[in-house]
Amino acid sequence: MHHPVDSDDLEVALAKTAGYLREAKRVAVLTGAGVSAESGVKTFRDEGGLWEGHDVEAVATPQGFKRDPSLVWKFYNARRNQLAEVKPNPGHFALAELQRRFGHDNFTLITQNVDGLHQKAGTANVLEVHGSLRRIRCSNVACDYEEDRDDALEGLPECEKCARYLRPAVVWFGEVLPEDVFIAAKMAAKECDAFLVVGTSAVVWPGAWLILLAREFGANVIEVNLNPTDASSIVDVAMQGPSGVILPKLVEKLNS
Ligand code: BV8
């Protein structure tokens, strides 16, 4: 259900945001599951979300995988199967348009999502801080096997190099984020003049910390979300509504 977007407030907020972006040399964006919601990809913590009916511990932690790898593969295969049907929505395309406007060197998109929809919408150099559903890797830390695979894998796939179980190349709770990716994300947050936070509940760390970092280093922080979040109290502008509606309006405003 789309929440009505209060046009007056939105107009003011869009004008303010367009002003920040016009002044900005460098822009960084942090997205979460909300930016893919209008593509039909389930979020995590909204009602009916992914974690509903699932014990996070059981399906998104290394311990859960150790305890019951086939349950974990069932959970991820269901999401991997969905990748074939979902498509980028106007929100993803608007962010790709912003990257074209600012240029690749001055626009960095950091995503907590693992669905690959930003790349499908044409955004380059996406920083996937939680890995990718479209990649699998060996569960043996000593083995470097990793492969781009977005087909559903039957049963319990094993590594052809070391015969240990394969796993989705995503970051589970209690696991560190890919170091090089997160270093690049921190740099982008520190160096940007405007930081857009789109469709994230801002509860998962250290991803959510990037918002504080951008603010600490002087960026204007703009939030686009259906609802208030943990970050709403520290942003300069909060636009409430669907990102697939608001982001194209922002690009339109910038081009007018
Ligand atoms: C680590 C796996 C340590 C991939 C994910 C207590 C306090 C603070 C932190 C912790 C704590 N206890 C534990 C921690 C750390 C933990 C954490 O943050 N837990 C949280 C839940 C409290 N973090 C970790 O474990 C991280 N690792 O800390 O390692 C360490 C350090 C050193 C050495 C060893 C270990 C790992 C975090 C990554 C976990 N993996 N997913 C997958 O299966 O997808 S997290 C999961 O949440 C997803 O990746 C997702 O991206 C992420 C964030 O969720 P959101 O994207 O924000 O989605 P959500 O549903 O929450 O919100 C959707 C939002 O969209 C809502 O606001 C909604 O209003 C909005 N929305 C909906 N529709 C729309 C919309 N907005 C706009 N338009 C719409 N149409």
Side-chain angles (χ1 to χ4, degrees):
M1 189 267 276
H2 276 327
H3 297 237
V5 185
D6 179 334
S7 50
D8 293 355
D9 299 355
L10 184 60
E11 264 319 301
V12 170
L14 281 167
K16 200 170 171 192
T17 304
Y20 286 147
L21 290 179
R22 283 197 193 95
E23 283 159 24
K25 179 172 181 329
R26 286 199 185 91
V27 173
V29 186
L30 173 69
T31 63
V35 79
S36 296
E38 290 155 85
S39 298
V41 181
K42 273 190 169 182
T43 62
F44 290 84
R45 297 168 184 87
D46 292 328
E47 73 280 354
L50 276 165
W51 295 149
E52 205 160 285
H54 270 289
D55 168 8
V56 179
E57 277 297 313
V59 292
T61 60
Q63 299 79 1
F65 185 69
K66 218 183 171 95
R67 193 178 321 117
D68 187 345
S70 38
L71 172 68
V72 174
W73 265 114
K74 241 167 65 218
F75 174 66
Y76 281 94
N77 269 338
R79 292 171 62 193
R80 287 159 57 87
N81 286 339
Q82 213 207 11
L83 293 182
E85 297 125 46
V86 295
K87 290 188 179 44
N89 67 61
H92 295 107
F93 288 114
L95 291 171
E97 174 60 27
L98 280 183
Q99 184 178 55
R100 280 191 290 277
R101 181 189 179 87
F102 283 92
H104 291 186
D105 296 345
N106 296 319
F107 181 98
T108 306
L109 194 140
I110 306 155
T111 189
Q112 300 171 96
N113 300 341
V114 294
D115 55 34
L117 288 177
H118 286 302
Q119 293 90 324
K120 286 207 156 181
T123 303
N125 315 323
V126 176
L127 297 178
E128 294 178 312
V129 293
H130 289 167
S132 168
L133 213 44
R134 299 174 184 278
R135 229 179 7 261
I136 54 171
R137 69 176 173 81
C138 183
S139 57
N140 170 7
V141 285
C143 177
D144 62 359
Y145 176 88
E146 180 150 353
E147 188 191 1
D148 282 339
R149 286 280 298 272
D150 53 12
D151 54 324
L153 299 158
E154 298 310 319
L156 274 178
E158 289 176 3
C159 175
E160 56 202 31
K161 283 177 83 171
C162 75
R164 299 282 288 276
Y165 288 139
L166 294 177
R167 56 165 282 181
V170 298
V171 179
W172 282 330
F173 287 100
E175 293 189 316
V176 287
L177 277 57
E179 197 177 354
D180 49 342
V181 177
F182 199 61
I183 287 172
K186 281 190 285 191
M187 212 146 85
K190 284 182 184 171
E191 292 180 354
C192 70
D193 309 301
F195 192 79
L196 281 162
V197 188
V198 184
T200 182
S201 57
V203 300
V204 173
W205 289 71
W209 177 65
L210 294 169
I211 308 165
L212 294 173
L213 195 63
R215 182 177 154 71
E216 197 184 309
F217 277 74
N220 290 309
V221 183
I222 300 109
E223 182 180 47
V224 178
N225 198 304
L226 266 188
N227 308 305
T229 70
D230 284 8
S232 301
S233 56
I234 62 156
V235 300
D236 297 283
V237 186
M239 289 188 270
Q240 204 160 330
S243 48
V245 171
I246 291 186
L247 292 173
K249 281 181 181 293
L250 177 58
V251 171
E252 208 182 300
K253 192 90 189 162
L254 267 180
N255 293 338
S256 61

